[in-house]
Every structure is written in structure tokens, then in C-alpha cells.
Amino acid sequence: DTAVSQTPKYLVTQMGNDKSIKCEQNLGHDTMYWYKQDSKKFLKIMFSYNNKELIINETVPNRFSPKSPDKAHLNLHINSLELGDSAVYFCASSRLAGYQETQYFGPGTRLLVL
Amino acid sequence: AQTVTQSQPEMSVQEAETVTLSCTYDTSESDYYLFWYKQPPSRQMILVIRQEAYKQQNATENRFSVNFQKAAKSFSLKISDSQLGDAAMYFCALSNSNSGYALNFGKGTSLLVTP
């Protein structure tokens, strides 16, 4: 009964490839997020969806495209992967879209681009 | 712009002792929430404690407590009776309406617990 799950946990790929990371939450939450943690461990928001609608879209390359087929899922598709995309990507969810809400994180996906 | 600063990249504490991790922040909002998250070597992000800016009483969760000084914009985490399992990266984070509900994280403090 994992609350927020991500697949895969590890992803090794070549530059120029396209890859996807899937996220699912079984908490019944309305809001989901993608964060990127770089090699220095710094965490930064990338996207946020509330009830399948995009509410945050930080300055990330348009090679990154989130997709929310339903409110329990938020997938991240990355086109034309670059070396600098190597990082850990975390999915998170919260009950509602609000700054008072606690965000629950998935286990992370470590992406390595060679 | 909102910033969260953790000025201690690394801290060390002996088992059973107490350690305090520092966090300062800057925001123009009057209402916001502050969080401490723990990231052990397993990489999982775990909520440790949260504090609403309007509540004057400092939050406490078992061995974890905060010292919230709103005027000074300071939000430190105190860990009492430290255990080996407390060894992790600790991240301070701020959330308010300006952040679009996203968490703004500090750079983290790596806590080492020695026997």
C-alpha cells in the first residue's frame, strides 16, 4: 500500500533518447507535483497539477512535458535527453492545492544520461 | 523573491545528544507554512514537522521540535536524544501563495550521528 509510487526507480539512457517516468498516488489527493533534485541535492519545483489541470510550470525546457491522464497519475515525458538532465526526479502529492497542505513524496527516480 | 537559507552544510552529533539545525527564510507574505523534511540514504523524502506562520506555539513531534522566530524569519529544528537513524539530509522548506503552493527548499544540512 505505497502512497506515492514512481516507475522506474532507476533509468540509464543515452543522450538524445526520449523517456518517461510514471507517478501514481493512491491517497485520493487532488494535486500532484514534479520536483528535480540535482547533483548537489538541491530540490526545485518543475510542475504542479491540480485535478488534471496545470497550475505551476516553472522555467524548464519544453523538452519536459507532464501529462495527467487522471488525478491519481502524473507522468513526466522527456524528449531529446541531455547530459544535464541527469538528476533525481521526485513526484509528490497533496490533498488540495494550497500552501498549507503537506506534500507526500514518492521514492524518486534516478535518471542518468550518458 | 523567496529564499530559504540553511547555513550549515554539515552537522555532527553524538548519539543521545541534542542538535539544532538552522534555517532562515525571506518572504513578503504574512501567512505561510514552514516544513522540515528528512532525506535518509534511501532517498525517500519524509516530513518531519510543519509550522504555520500564524501559530505562535512552536510545533513538536516526539524528539523533534522547532524554534520559530517570525520576526527574525528563523525556523530551526532541534533533535533531542539523537539516534543513529536520524542521520540524513534535512531540508527546510517554505510554502505560501506566492510560491503557487510549491515548496521552496533550502540547500539542506547533512546530519551525521556518531555512536
Side-chain angles (χ1 to χ4, degrees), chain A residues 8-82:
Chain A
K9 287 192 177 172
Y10 298 94
L11 189 50
V12 181
T13 188
Q14 300 287 329
M15 273 176 59
N17 283 350
D18 302 339
K19 289 292 178 186
S20 292
I21 305 171
K22 295 186 176 181
C23 178
E24 177 181 3
Q25 54 93 3
N26 62 7
L27 297 167
H29 287 173
D30 279 357
T31 309
M32 296 183 73
Y33 311 80
W34 279 108
Y35 289 86
K36 179 181 180 180
Q37 186 173 41
D38 63 23
S39 59
K40 295 185 179 178
K41 303 273 189 182
F42 183 61
L43 278 145
K44 189 171 167 58
I45 185 71
M46 298 175 70
F47 301 102
S48 173
Y49 269 73
N50 183 54
N51 237 336
K52 301 195 301 174
E53 286 192 22
L54 183 67
I55 56 172
I56 297 174
N57 183 359
E58 285 296 304
T59 309
V60 301
N62 56 15
R63 299 181 294 104
F64 290 78
S65 53
K67 285 188 171 49
S68 182
D70 54 61
K71 72 175 193 177
H73 295 85
L74 180 61
N75 303 323
L76 183 65
H77 189 74
I78 316 170
N79 288 328
S80 304
L81 278 155
E82 300 177 357

Side-chain angles (χ1 to χ4, degrees), chain A residues 35 56 99-100 102-103 105, chain B residues 31 37 39 44 50 100 103:
Chain A
Y35 289 86
I56 297 174
Y99 59 87
Q100 74 279 11
T102 295
Q103 294 183 23
F105 284 77
Chain B
D31 196 18
Y37 278 86
Q39 187 179 38
Q44 180 72 51
R50 52 180 263 159
L103 292 167

